[in-house]
Amino acid sequence: METKTPTKKAATKKKTVRTKAAAKTPAKKGAAKELKDLFEDSLKDIYWAEKALLKALPKMMKNAQDEKLKNAINKHIGETETHVERLEKCFKSLGKKPQSKKCDAMQGLIDEGKSIMEETEPGTVRDAGIIAAAQKVEHYEIATYGTLAAFAKVLKEKDCLKNLLDTLNEEKKCDELLTKVADTNLNKKAK
């Protein structure tokens, strides 16, 4: 069977259609104009996210049955309290009052975690779902703290950079711990 190679005109037409569908997004009033503005706005976003997690994590812990999972979540509650304190130090070093701005991404991840718990029976299957939801949160936080640390480095915000890197390392360790808990036969038991 012979396949036709698209003509140059057809390929150009497809590209034009995609370009039209992907219109530019206009900036909102008060949108960030400099990296420092984006950095501060992103700090507000993750500050809200960490505070929201302080409300969500105890619910996850209460719904978990595996002791290692409960312990991992409990440990991360304490770390999350420290993450909030570090963000407050970042705001202070920038001469700003700590301020939060709703993080739609974290809200979505928390909602997904709640949904997973509602859609699973208590036990190993729910525990596997809780780990999956928690790791999605960790991966979001790892990406966010990595980006914020890169911004802080460029902006020469040394105090912020240290705090952000400390939190980034803790988020990575939490993700590794959750993987370890899942790998200790929890996922196999959930079959």
Side-chain angles (χ1 to χ4, degrees):
M1 180 177 207
E2 188 179 320
T3 56
K4 275 190 161 182
T5 308
T7 64
K8 190 173 185 179
K9 186 177 181 180
T12 305
K13 186 176 180 181
K14 277 186 177 180
K15 188 175 181 181
T16 304
V17 171
R18 276 185 259 152
T19 306
K20 286 180 183 176
K24 287 188 177 181
T25 303
K28 296 189 315 187
K29 185 179 179 182
K33 292 180 182 171
E34 297 178 8
L35 185 61
K36 185 173 173 86
D37 301 329
L38 179 59
F39 178 63
E40 290 173 11
D41 193 52
S42 298
L43 283 173
K44 293 175 188 176
D45 198 64
I46 195 67
Y47 186 59
W48 184 95
E50 293 286 18
K51 291 173 95 175
L53 271 177
L54 284 175
K55 295 176 187 169
L57 287 171
K59 293 174 190 169
M60 293 172 85
M61 188 171 76
K62 187 173 185 174
N63 279 278
Q65 298 224 335
D66 183 86
E67 284 305 314
K68 289 178 183 174
L69 177 55
K70 286 182 178 186
N71 290 336
I73 295 169
N74 190 47
K75 179 180 182 206
H76 200 58
I77 291 170
E79 290 173 344
T80 302
E81 290 168 348
T82 302
H83 301 167
V84 169
E85 291 169 7
R86 286 185 188 133
L87 288 167
E88 289 169 350
K89 288 177 184 176
C90 280
F91 282 110
K92 187 176 180 180
S93 73
L94 295 170
K96 304 283 182 180
K97 181 182 173 190
Q99 209 176 352
S100 62
K101 179 183 119 184
K102 185 176 181 182
C103 176
D104 294 330
M106 185 59 75
Q107 184 64 61
L109 291 168
I110 289 170
D111 290 346
E112 184 176 349
K114 182 180 176 192
S115 176
I116 286 171
M117 289 186 288
E118 291 171 348
E119 294 170 5
T120 55
E121 291 291 332
T124 53
V125 173
R126 182 176 285 178
D127 285 353
I130 288 171
I131 290 171
Q135 285 194 291
K136 289 178 184 181
V137 167
E138 291 310 310
H139 293 189
Y140 174 76
E141 289 180 307
I142 289 166
T144 300
Y145 282 108
T147 299
L148 286 170
F151 290 172
K153 186 175 181 180
V154 168
L155 295 168
K156 296 182 175 27
E157 295 291 348
K158 291 179 183 177
D159 292 337
C160 279
L161 179 58
K162 184 196 177 317
N163 283 307
L164 294 167
L165 288 174
D166 287 346
T167 298
L168 176 61
N169 288 329
E170 287 175 2
E171 299 293 8
K172 288 178 180 179
K173 286 179 184 171
C174 181
D175 181 51
E176 290 169 8
L177 178 58
L178 289 168
T179 296
K180 192 174 180 181
V181 171
D183 286 346
T184 57
N185 290 326
L186 192 139
N187 284 346
K188 286 181 185 172
K189 290 177 190 172
K191 264 173 114 172

